[in-house]
Amino acid sequence: MTHPHEHHQHHHGSKSQAENEANNIAQKLEEKTLHAHHEAMPHGEGTPPPHEEHMGHAAHGEHGHDHHRMMIADFKKRFWVSLVLAIPVIILSPMVQHILGFSLDVPYAMYIAFALSSIIYFYGGWPFLTGLVEEVKKGAPGMMTLIGVAITVAYLYSTATVFGLQGMDFFWELATLIVIMLLGHWIEMRSVLGASKALELLVSMMPAEAMLIRGGETVKVRIEELKKNDLILVKPGEKVPADGVVEDGESHLNESMLTGESKPVKKSKGDKVIGGSINGNGVLRVKVEHTGKESYLNKVITLVQEAQKTKSETQRLADRAAKWLTYVALTAGFGTLAVWLILGQDFAFALERMVTVMVISCPHALGLAVPLVVAISTAVSANNGLLIRNRTAFENSRRITTIIFDKTGTLTQGSHEIASVVTFENAIDKKEMLRLAAGVEQNSEHYIAQAILRKVKADGIPVPPSQSFNYLPGKGLEGKVEGKDVKVVGPNYMQEYNIQVPASQAEEGVETVVYTLVDGAPVGYITMRDQIREESAGAIQVLKENGIKNLLLTGDNERVAKSVSDKLQMDGYLANVLPHQKQEKVKELQAKGEFVAMTGDGVNDAPALAQADVGIAIGSGTDVAAETADIILVNSNPQDIASLILFGKATYKKMIQNLIWATAYNVVAVPLAAGILYNQGIMISPAVGAALMSLSTVIVAINAQLLRKKIK
């Protein structure tokens, strides 16, 4: 078994630091991400074509982020202005007065309603009118066309009635339709995925400055100024500013944010270091190897870029429904006009029938059907520790067939704890061995030392003072404790000095073993492992019950991977997987037709999280993984993954129900509005059409609220 004080070199191919070139890549990727983001938005939300908006302007995506925020603020303002103006329009409507049984004698009421409705139509309706034009240009009519046609027909017809056409105006329907559609789109836009900050976070992992060794002196320089073969100084606790090779010194580096390796990795002369990793308690002199695009961090950036670029957005159900309703509304409307004229009715009657059909075939409920479910599911999820960043992926979680779990920090706690304390026969007891070992280890910052000190503190064992502390490079530690010569060392030391110990009883699956020697005699050993989270087994069980395959993916060795996989009764494992291979593994499964979810917490998981159909980041992990993922588990609880999938299914079901409710009344209302039963004396008036429309909206709203119970 490997002692972590030993040389523990990882081979990640060419790994290095991200510097000035990273900014260029970040800018390009931000632009691509924003482009994809706007493409994925509901049609016609006042969005200029993405290529015009971002061509060469969105430095680091700042303009893009601001643009998205400005669009949301714009919809919000249009909504409030339209709502305030709609109230007098509704009160002045003869139809509303008739329904509610009151009457107001306001001079020039029709002209006031016309003036206010004109502002609502042109100001509140503007995003839908521009959206209509965009959709018609593209030859892809959808929600915007449906809304645009309905409000235009209602406005033009109502205006005509003010200036002499016989008939009743539709101003209040026009006002409420625009207000509700603005509200629906405002809610929806707020829940749409914001442009990813993944690149900014990746680049920010690099320090801005480095200590350059020049002519025996150290000079502080910006990392952009570093060149290949420069010598730099890295002090304890600092981030490594550049990828390179250790020329002098030794230390343990925390690479977990970059490589996913849970253990700090020992580095000494000749070892490679990765820019962005965090130095432990040693001082290192490093010779710079790579700059710019060759850096390890930039390679991760590129992988994220590729994955995000190729991720497709599922077409929105509401848009599909709206597209067909547009065809139905236009066909039914003009068909109604034509049929009544052919049957000999006067133009005013035929026109009123046409307008009634067109207005009620644009259901308020359809505008709210999806956004309401979106808003409620997002809020309920957040209250239960699930942060949804990408709605499409969340709604697609119902389709997941395989989940890949990153081991460290996801299924396990990500911190090494003592697994067992074993003493040899005729030796001291466990408590005494731990006490002596802690006496030596208290001088070290190493993670083994920290684990031993946590253990003695938990057991209430006092730590004795020690003298003559000495670090044994690659082998362990030694010192004097209460006059005894105490060593805490790994298997390499035992082999080198040919020290025989009883057959190891160390459990299979532990990652580390250290032996304790007192006055040259071995007295026992301590094993450590990254502990499996208590909730992991339950989560795997729920997934299995729902027919979802689960695989373990880790950079750790085969033995460790098998141990965790077997203990949790998983469907399989992939060990010794390097960061760039994680994304490949996801691609391979997708190529076989699997719908893949990936969970992870490190930067090395970011490309795989982006590549997966659904990327789930563990909240205790790095910010960058969370920014590349579609869903973030705040509480780092694997059981939340199972909840997420079941809630995703419930959410999707509610959306379908709402879309059915929102469109079903059209099947009844449109033919009646057209006058199909006119000869039987049954004809839907605009007032009844409006009432049906409102009822449909209420049903959709109540149904969406019922989703709150589903998360439990």
Side-chain angles (χ1 to χ4, degrees), residues 287-301:
K287 187 161 93 173
V288 177
E289 258 202 340
H290 298 283
T291 56
K293 287 181 182 173
E294 288 303 305
S295 74
Y296 173 69
L297 207 49
N298 267 345
K299 288 190 169 167
V300 174
I301 288 172

Side-chain angles (χ1 to χ4, degrees), residues 18-309:
E19 34 168 272
N20 54 342
E21 287 289 341
N23 295 334
N24 300 334
I25 291 178
Q27 183 173 341
K28 284 176 196 156
L29 180 45
E30 274 297 328
E31 285 169 11
K32 282 179 179 170
T33 310
L34 285 160
H35 180 93
H37 161 65
H38 286 296
E39 284 291 314
M41 274 191 173
H43 297 308
E45 292 172 347
T47 323
H51 59 278
E52 288 173 24
E53 186 56 46
H54 301 293
M55 195 63 77
H57 297 297
H60 294 287
E62 287 163 22
H63 180 76
H65 287 305
D66 289 344
H67 175 65
H68 184 68
R69 277 195 291 269
M70 278 161 56
M71 281 171 62
I72 291 173
D74 181 56
F75 264 79
K76 184 179 176 182
K77 193 165 87 176
R78 288 179 197 273
F79 164 72
W80 286 114
V81 170
S82 301
L83 179 65
V84 169
L85 295 177
I87 293 167
V89 172
I90 293 166
I91 292 168
L92 291 173
S93 166
M95 194 187 299
V96 171
Q97 291 179 20
H98 175 71
I99 293 167
L100 298 180
F102 75 94
S103 66
L104 284 175
D105 190 18
V106 178
Y108 306 110
M110 283 177 71
Y111 296 105
I112 294 169
F114 164 68
L116 294 174
S117 297
S118 296
I119 299 169
I120 295 170
Y121 173 71
F122 287 106
Y123 179 70
W126 186 251
F128 308 115
L129 298 173
T130 53
L132 180 151
V133 173
E134 282 295 317
E135 287 183 353
V136 170
K137 273 186 190 170
K138 287 182 192 168
M143 181 69 89
M144 292 295 154
T145 309
L146 187 56
I147 299 167
V149 166
I151 63 175
T152 302
V153 167
Y155 178 71
L156 294 176
Y157 177 78
S158 301
T159 302
T161 63
V162 172
F163 296 104
L165 182 75
Q166 186 191 342
M168 192 178 274
D169 71 76
F170 281 82
F171 285 135
W172 82 277
E173 283 97 336
L174 168 74
T176 54
L177 185 57
I178 288 174
V179 166
I180 287 180
M181 289 302 165
L182 283 170
L183 175 63
H185 278 76
W186 172 33
I187 291 171
E188 187 165 22
M189 281 174 68
R190 283 182 59 185
S191 68
V192 165
L193 171 67
S196 173
K197 293 182 227 153
L199 296 142
E200 294 163 32
L201 285 162
L202 276 170
V203 174
S204 72
M205 281 177 62
M206 295 306 303
E209 296 173 322
M211 297 299 289
L212 179 65
I213 302 169
R214 191 185 285 156
E217 292 185 1
T218 55
V219 191
K220 194 175 274 188
V221 297
R222 292 187 58 75
I223 64 165
E224 288 87 345
E225 296 171 40
L226 291 178
K227 296 186 289 292
K228 190 170 180 177
N229 296 327
D230 276 352
L231 200 61
I232 51 175
L233 185 73
V234 188
K235 294 177 183 174
E238 288 184 343
K239 283 182 179 177
V240 177
D243 289 9
V245 177
V246 178
E247 287 286 295
D248 185 38
E250 73 179 25
S251 184
H252 283 83
L253 266 64
N254 179 356
E255 295 182 343
S256 61
M257 287 174 74
L258 295 152
T259 66
E261 169 57 54
S262 53
K263 294 191 287 188
V265 180
K266 181 174 177 295
K267 302 287 182 181
S268 53
K269 187 173 168 60
D271 292 345
K272 286 187 177 185
V273 292
I274 309 171
S277 55
I278 300 163
N279 189 18
N281 56 349
V283 178
L284 296 176
R285 285 170 183 247
V286 175
K287 187 161 93 173
V288 177
E289 258 202 340
H290 298 283
T291 56
K293 287 181 182 173
E294 288 303 305
S295 74
Y296 173 69
L297 207 49
N298 267 345
K299 288 190 169 167
V300 174
I301 288 172
T302 309
L303 289 171
V304 173
Q305 173 186 358
E306 291 306 311
Q308 286 188 335
K309 199 169 64 181

